Amino acid sequence: MKGQTERAIRDERLSVILDALAEAVTIRAPNNHLVFANQAALDRLGFDSVAALREADPQALMGPYETTDEFGNEIRMEDLPSVQLLRGEQPEPLLMRSVNRASGEESWVLLKATAVRDEAGEIESAVTIIADVTEATRATQRVEFLARIGELLGSSLDYQQTLRNVAGLAVPQLADWCAVDLFDADGGREPVAIAHSQPAKLRMAERLRAYEPGELDPDQGLGRVRRTGEPLLFAQIPDELLVAGAVDDEHLRLLREVGMRAALIVPLTIGGRAIGALTLVNSESGRSFDAGDVEFAAQIAARAAVAVESARLYSERSTVARTLQSSLLPEAIPDIPGWEVAALYRPAGHESEVGGDFYDFWEVGEDWLMMIGDVTGKGVGAAADTSLVRYTARAASEFDARPSAILARVDAALRRRPTVSLCTALCLRLSRDGAAIAVGGHPLPLRIDEGAVAEVGEHGTLLGGLARTQWPEAEIALGAGDTLVAFTDGVTDALGEGGERWGTERLRASLQAAGDAAPAALRAHLVRALDEFQVGAQADDTAVVIIRFGEQATGRESFRGHARVGAPGNG
């Protein structure tokens, strides 16, 4: 009796603790029934009590949802990590997408299962932690999508073919249907593209187009979007709306056959003027649209509008490149407690051409992450890859902030690209106690310790190119005043007389000569040394990040102000 009482007390205490967690937690018995769920899990599953959950058919719990993995493959109950664990398997964490069939709401969760064993080592139950990663997953997917859109928009001055490619890319990731229309000066409409994953549906769309009026109604649909320049969202499309918009019975029949559940129209705007519109429709998938979808579609439309206007004016595709470049580097160097920071970025070539070197800083809990790297190529392709790397790293740190884990996620994103996309990168995690580092195909950073200069960290695999990968992670022991210098190969590849490279040894000697200079002074010293050595135009982009441990940064520096300090021709 005493043992049962003690166990009841322990169970009650455990329940209180688990209910306080933001993450949903469930416990599955060997018969696959859920026997416990904390309050977050009950809310997610739609149950009022654990008792009601225990009585539910475990197969029926997934019935209200369409569930797939990140590649679109169906997920069934037997694919869940907890069920696999109870079968004696060792499952990996599972990223699962679910769409509520009733509401159309989409969510992403990361499922991690752990076994609870008895004294004999037999599995008594499986505990699952359900982390809602909807926002982070959408952010990653959207960065990848924008990177691909950027390539399409910058690949040709044939705007009609470009917009057809955009519509095709949007299906089915963003919507089940995608159409693009342009407006002329008189308010007329030019249908440019329509896309659906099923050819038979496209034939239906052509039949529907025959019912569209010759002139746009300024109070309805496309006409309203053209007049106001604002997006138009139909989060739900009831049958009454179809009846009101139908011209005749045949038109109504076609509209019902399409099965439109939700629609979103966003303008393609240039200088406050709507030159066209992007229309997204969900039907078969059962998905709806939310405010985040409106904002993302507006980003796509803005890029498409720039491409169209550039083509009409026969401008260089660098117009699109400049649009993409605005988000490739941080606006300012942050104040990082316990560290003093300075950075340098000098692009090679014409200012309108996007290079592949980059660096970034962002906060993770009480620590900071710094990343520096170099993607292959230049122009729009480099801008797309740089944006993908930078924002994938930020999104990945929400799941796992270890530098090695971040490089692994970036590598996976690059390898999913339709073309070969390679990148070298170095990731540092900065805390008040020191730093941790992982390197992927990038030059190792140099540590300056009382005048001595030496490499730190271990070499790891180039990102985006190899099937077998490793990114060793190391802690860097630092004393107050120690300085780390991270750089891209544009520094060591600077060319002097006779085509001689500046090289790592000259870099080390230059750093050693600077002594214990503060990061900003050390940056200026490097600029002078490079300018004195270099002959002719700068051959490659150059990025340097200098961070000193044990000193508090004294203020923020505008990236726009310091990016080209000491650039060729500027002294």
Side-chain angles (χ1 to χ4, degrees):
M1 185 69 179
K2 179 180 178 182
Q4 292 179 347
T5 301
E6 291 177 346
R7 181 171 182 178
I9 293 173
R10 287 198 304 269
D11 289 347
E12 183 177 354
R13 288 176 177 173
L14 178 63
S15 178
V16 170
I17 293 171
L18 293 179
D19 282 342
L21 296 177
E23 292 85 359
V25 180
T26 62
I27 300 178
R28 188 181 298 273
N31 64 359
N32 284 332
H33 280 260
L34 293 179
V35 295
F36 175 79
N38 69 349
Q39 190 58 52
L42 290 174
D43 292 342
R44 172 172 286 276
L45 296 171
F47 285 89
D48 295 327
S49 65
V50 174
L53 176 66
R54 289 174 175 172
E55 295 177 359
D57 180 356
Q59 290 283 354
L61 294 177
M62 297 179 69
Y65 302 92
E66 176 189 337
T67 52
T68 58
D69 63 17
E70 57 186 314
F71 306 107
N73 302 313
E74 181 185 3
I75 292 177
R76 299 164 297 175
M77 179 178 157
E78 51 264 37
D79 301 319
L80 298 178
S82 58
V83 178
Q84 293 183 55
L85 197 62
L86 292 171
R87 290 201 302 264
E89 300 173 12
Q90 296 298 320
E92 294 292 326
L94 176 65
L95 182 61
M96 183 174 75
R97 169 184 173 271
S98 63
V99 176
N100 188 305
R101 301 182 194 277
S103 67
E105 182 181 2
E106 178 191 63
S107 64
W108 289 85
V109 294
L110 187 65
L111 306 176
K112 298 180 181 179
T114 302
V116 176
R117 301 178 183 273
D118 59 21
E119 295 178 354
E122 298 296 323
I123 296 179
E124 287 186 334
S125 58
V127 178
T128 300
I129 298 177
I130 308 170
D132 189 325
V133 295
T134 302
E135 293 304 317
T137 303
R138 284 181 176 177
T140 300
Q141 291 179 336
R142 288 171 178 178
V143 166
E144 293 184 13
F145 187 86
L146 287 177
R148 298 177 67 187
I149 286 289
E151 287 185 348
L152 287 177
L153 295 178
S155 63
S156 172
L157 288 177
D158 181 351
Y159 70 87
Q160 291 187 331
Q161 182 58 48
T162 298
L163 292 177
R164 284 193 287 270
N165 291 340
V166 170
L169 187 61
V171 172
Q173 180 173 333
L174 302 183
D176 301 326
W177 295 82
C178 180
V180 184
D181 297 275
L182 295 178
F183 307 140
D184 61 28
D186 299 323
R189 170 174 161 272
E190 176 191 358
V192 176
I194 188 165
H196 193 283
S197 57
Q198 301 175 24
K201 296 288 187 178
L202 291 178
R203 290 192 290 271
M204 185 186 304
E206 292 302 321
R207 295 172 63 187
L208 281 170
R209 281 186 181 271
Y211 286 93
E212 294 169 352
E215 295 184 4
L216 296 175
D217 184 341
D219 296 321
Q220 300 291 333
L222 288 172
R224 178 177 172 180
V225 169
R226 177 181 179 273
R227 176 176 60 83
T228 65
E230 297 292 332
L232 185 59
L233 172 64
F234 299 92
Q236 298 289 335
I237 301 180
D239 189 66
E240 297 79 26
L241 190 60
L242 300 181
V243 172
V247 174
D248 55 29
D249 291 343
E250 176 62 13
H251 189 205
L252 179 60
R253 186 189 69 78
L254 289 172
L255 290 173
R256 284 171 170 166
E257 189 173 345
V258 168
M260 289 186 289
R261 173 158 193 158
L264 171 61
I265 309 174
V266 292
L268 278 63
T269 305
I270 289 290
R273 175 175 58 92
I275 64 171
L278 178 74
T279 302
L280 301 171
V281 176
N282 277 327
S283 52
E284 296 92 340
S285 67
R287 294 176 294 183
S288 185
F289 293 113
D290 57 24
D293 296 314
V294 175
E295 181 181 353
F296 184 53
Q299 293 182 46
I300 298 171
R303 286 160 169 76
V306 171
V308 169
E309 192 70 3
S310 298
R312 285 176 172 176
L313 299 174
Y314 299 99
S315 65
E316 297 293 332
R317 70 176 186 176
S318 59
T319 304
V320 179
R322 286 193 299 270
T323 302
L324 293 174
Q325 189 180 30
S326 61
S327 62
L328 300 186
L329 290 168
E331 287 289 334
I333 300 300
D335 292 328
I336 301 178
W339 296 82
E340 185 178 1
V341 184
L344 166 71
Y345 177 73
R346 302 202 309 182
H350 194 274
E351 286 188 356
S352 65
E353 187 174 26
V354 180
D357 289 21
F358 70 95
Y359 63 86
D360 199 9
F361 296 86
W362 69 100
E363 196 169 6
V364 178
E366 295 182 356
D367 294 347
W368 282 80
L369 286 165
M370 188 283 287
M371 193 174 199
I372 185 171
D374 184 3
V375 302
T376 56
K378 289 185 177 296
V380 175
D385 286 348
T386 302
S387 180
L388 172 64
V389 170
R390 185 178 176 212
Y391 288 103
T392 297
R394 284 174 171 257
S397 67
E398 296 188 26
F399 300 110
D400 191 338
R402 292 175 301 153
S404 57
I406 291 171
L407 294 186
R409 294 289 291 187
V410 171
D411 175 73
L414 288 172
R415 290 172 61 188
R416 285 196 294 268
R417 305 273 278 130
T419 57
V420 177
S421 300
L422 304 178
C423 174
T424 72
L426 176 159
C427 187
L428 276 169
R429 180 163 180 165
L430 309 173
S431 70
R432 294 180 181 271
D433 300 320
I437 184 174
V439 180
H442 198 80
L444 295 179
L446 299 174
R447 177 177 61 194
I448 307 172
D449 178 11
E450 297 181 350
V453 179
E455 291 182 340
V456 292
E458 298 181 52
H459 289 286
T461 311
L462 176 73
L463 305 181
L466 301 175
R468 298 183 65 180
T469 58
Q470 62 173 356
W471 299 282
E473 185 167 319
E475 297 289 334
I476 304 176
L478 296 169
D482 286 1
T483 299
L484 295 175
V485 180
F487 56 95
T488 60
D489 59 10
V491 176
T492 51
D493 288 346
L495 298 178
E497 293 286 349
E500 186 178 10
R501 293 173 64 251
W502 202 45
T504 305
E505 290 306 314
R506 282 191 179 90
L507 173 59
R508 290 189 183 193
S510 180
L511 295 174
Q512 193 165 11
D516 61 349
L522 185 55
R523 178 187 61 198
H525 174 81
L526 281 178
V527 168
R528 286 193 299 270
L530 280 169
D531 287 347
E532 290 171 3
F533 175 83
Q534 191 166 272
V535 174
Q538 184 176 317
D540 196 5
D541 303 320
T542 297
V544 181
V545 174
I546 305 168
I547 48 179
R548 182 161 68 176
F549 182 61
E551 299 289 337
Q552 175 64 42
T554 57
R556 298 178 182 271
E557 294 185 80
S558 167
F559 165 71
R560 303 300 180 202
H562 75 77
R564 292 173 176 79
V565 171
N570 292 339

